[in-house]
């Protein structure tokens, strides 16, 4: 998960994984692509599964952690997973705590680790689990920590960018300007958009950055707008977050002549996370991606029925991870938790709809393409229900 603690907004614990850029420091990449290794489980006994969460995080992550634990246990109950022995280990929200928790989990015989939540903690755990024959289903959306035996469950920039550039190309948009904030998250988003655009056959007409402050965006506006106009770009792809830089960049670009009626605006983050963003004139007609809304509503309803409260927006990640584990273990195979099994092509059905883990440690999630119309969210292309649709 990426850090975006700027002058544009106050620091906060986390932003929902499907709403914006999550707030945790970006970690260095791991050693390489995922491998097919993993444990050989005893199919006649309950499988030990470790859930690493910041239960006593001094920064306030305990509430998120408790909601995630509840979601994980809900997934097990719904799957009828009597052969999964789940133990929660407290990371305290720190890298040191994560190292201790992972060490204890391995000592206790865990056959798979779900978590940790923060990128720094995942990086701390990686050397401990490396070579131990245990895969890690982390709860981050930071692709930089994916690889080796570490998989990320959170929606990645690359996944969103691929969905939206493919859709835009199919709608006849042949070129795109990439506009990003000049920080770690913005740069990562830029790279994901460029790769996705090139893969979908869109020309990258120009790439422009801006400082993450209101004054910096205002000052950069004329330069960026001129670059967009002179490049002939048919779309503008923004990395901006609804609760940070989006209101400013979505205002300054139209003011400087980038007409959203002519140049389609596209968003890497979930614009609907902010009701105010839906009313921005520059975003009318713009595109962004959202998960399967029916799946989310159904999960939230089941969670509230079970616990009497709504789940944290990130709780579904723990539900998805445990659903994958329970599904695989329930097949009764000794290789159920190997990389080859975890990355099965048909994927799984989770809190946010269909998803699958990929051999490089990232994931595909079934996403819908949404448009802002008259200050409202309208679904233009629904999220696929499974991975069986051609081209998906």
């Amino acid at each position: 998960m990426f850090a975006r603690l700027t002058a544009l907004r106050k620091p906060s614990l986390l932003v929902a994984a499907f709403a914006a850029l999550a707030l945790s420091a970006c970690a260095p990449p791991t050693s390489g692509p995922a491998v097919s290794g993993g444990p050989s489980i005893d199919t006649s006994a309950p499988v030990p599964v470790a859930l690493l969460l910041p239960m006593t995080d001094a920064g306030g992550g305990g509430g998120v952690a408790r909601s995630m634990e509840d979601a994980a246990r809900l997934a097990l109950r719904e799957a009828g997973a009597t052969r999964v022995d789940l133990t929660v280990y407290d990371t305290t929200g720190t890298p040191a705590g994560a190292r201790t928790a992972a060490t204890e989990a391995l000592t206790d015989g865990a056959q798979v680790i779900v978590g940790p939540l923060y990128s720094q903690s995942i990086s701390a755990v990686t050397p401990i689990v490396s070579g131990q024959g245990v895969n890690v289903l982390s709860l981050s959306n930071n692709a930089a920590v994916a690889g080796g035996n570490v998989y990320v469950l959170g929606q990645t920039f690359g996944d969103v960018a691929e969905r939206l550039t493919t859709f835009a190309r199919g709608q006849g948009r042949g070129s795109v300007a990439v506009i990003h904030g000049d920080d770690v998250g913005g740069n990562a988003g830029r790279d994901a958009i460029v790769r996705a655009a090139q893969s979908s056959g869109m020309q990258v007409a120009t790439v422009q950055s801006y400082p993450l402050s209101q004054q910096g965006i205002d000052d950069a506006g004329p330069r960026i707008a001129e670059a967009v106009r002179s490049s002939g770009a048919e779309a503008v792809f923004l990395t901006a977050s609804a609760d940070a830089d989006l209101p400013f960049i979505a205002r300054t670009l139209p003011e400087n002549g980038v007409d959203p009626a002519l140049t389609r605006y596209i968003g890497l983050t979930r614009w609907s996370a902010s009701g105010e963003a839906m009313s921005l004139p520059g975003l009318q007609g713009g595109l962004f991606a959202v998960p399967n809304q029916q799946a989310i509503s159904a999960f939230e309803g089941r969670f509230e029925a079970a616990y009497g409260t709504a789940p944290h927006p990130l709780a579904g990640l723990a539900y998805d991870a445990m659903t994958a584990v329970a599904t695989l273990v329930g097949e009764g195979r000794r290789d159920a938790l190997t990389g080859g099994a975890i990355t099965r092509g048909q994927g799984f059905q989770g809190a946010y709809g269909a998803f699958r883990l990929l051999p490089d440690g990232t994931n595909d999630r079934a996403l819908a393409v949404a448009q802002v119309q008259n200050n409202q969210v309208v679904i233009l292309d629904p999220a696929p229900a499974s991975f069986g649709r051609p081209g998906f």
Side-chain angles (χ1 to χ4, degrees):
M1 298 182 179
F2 295 97
R4 296 205 86 183
L5 305 183
T6 72
L8 292 177
R9 72 182 184 195
K10 296 179 181 179
S12 60
L13 170 67
L14 289 169
V15 175
F18 298 104
L21 306 180
L23 301 181
S24 189
C26 183
T30 51
S31 57
V35 296
S36 59
S40 177
I41 65 174
D42 181 357
T43 59
S44 66
V47 178
V49 176
L51 178 59
L52 273 59
L53 291 173
M55 304 301 292
T56 58
D57 180 8
V64 183
R66 287 187 291 275
S67 189
M68 284 186 154
E69 180 186 355
D70 287 343
R73 296 194 184 281
L74 177 64
L76 293 181
R77 288 200 298 273
E78 291 182 348
T82 58
R83 295 183 57 256
V84 173
D85 182 13
L86 179 65
T87 302
V88 178
Y89 296 84
D90 183 13
T91 68
T92 70
T94 66
R99 285 193 293 270
T100 299
T103 300
E104 292 178 357
L106 292 175
T107 300
D108 291 344
Q111 299 293 281
V112 66
I113 291 175
V114 175
L117 175 60
Y118 303 127
S119 292
Q120 305 100 316
S121 294
I122 297 166
S123 296
V125 163
T126 299
I128 295 172
V129 299
S130 179
Q132 298 297 313
V134 173
N135 288 306
V136 178
L137 306 185
S138 75
L139 303 173
S140 172
N141 71 338
N142 184 356
V145 299
N149 59 337
V150 177
Y151 301 83
V152 295
L153 269 293
Q155 179 181 298
T156 65
F157 291 155
D159 200 22
V160 175
E162 288 173 12
R163 178 70 164 111
L164 292 172
T165 55
T166 299
F167 182 84
R169 187 71 185 92
Q171 296 293 304
R173 304 280 171 169
S175 60
V176 62
V178 182
I179 313 300
H180 68 97
D182 189 14
D183 72 334
V184 173
N187 292 336
R190 171 202 63 200
D191 294 344
I193 295 167
V194 169
R195 287 193 298 268
Q198 293 171 340
S199 177
S200 69
M202 294 186 79
Q203 175 189 356
V204 179
T206 186
V207 178
Q208 299 291 322
S209 67
Y210 54 83
L212 278 172
S213 68
Q214 181 174 354
Q215 187 61 54
I217 293 173
D218 288 343
D219 291 345
R223 165 182 57 81
I224 296 173
E226 173 57 28
V228 172
R229 291 195 304 271
S230 62
S231 73
E234 297 173 300
V236 170
F237 210 137
L238 306 172
T239 66
S241 297
D243 62 344
D245 40 339
L246 183 62
F248 305 103
I249 193 66
R251 170 183 54 79
T252 193
L253 290 182
E255 287 178 352
N256 285 281
V258 182
D259 187 350
L262 301 176
T263 305
R264 174 67 54 81
Y265 285 35
I266 305 174
L268 188 63
T269 63
R270 188 177 172 185
W271 291 349
S272 55
S274 167
E276 294 180 3
M278 293 295 93
S279 64
L280 294 172
L283 300 188
Q284 301 306 306
L287 305 177
F288 62 102
V290 295
N292 186 314
Q293 299 301 288
Q294 289 74 28
I296 292 175
S297 295
F299 165 68
E300 291 175 343
R302 298 195 308 274
F303 186 99
E304 189 160 359
Y307 300 111
T309 185
H312 187 277
L314 290 171
L317 296 177
Y319 178 94
D320 286 2
M322 206 56 63
T323 293
V325 170
T327 300
L328 294 169
V329 170
E331 294 175 351
R333 294 166 42 189
R334 293 184 64 84
D335 64 348
L337 296 177
T338 62
I342 288 171
T343 58
R344 67 180 195 169
Q346 70 267 41
F348 309 91
Q349 292 293 329
Y352 310 110
F355 72 99
R356 60 185 172 188
L357 297 168
L358 302 177
D360 66 357
T362 62
N363 66 75
D364 276 340
R365 286 191 173 272
L367 302 174
V369 176
Q371 185 176 48
V372 182
Q373 296 181 9
N374 299 319
N375 304 339
Q376 301 293 322
V377 178
V378 176
I379 301 298
L380 295 186
D381 193 26
S386 69
F387 291 94
R389 194 179 77 178
F392 185 65

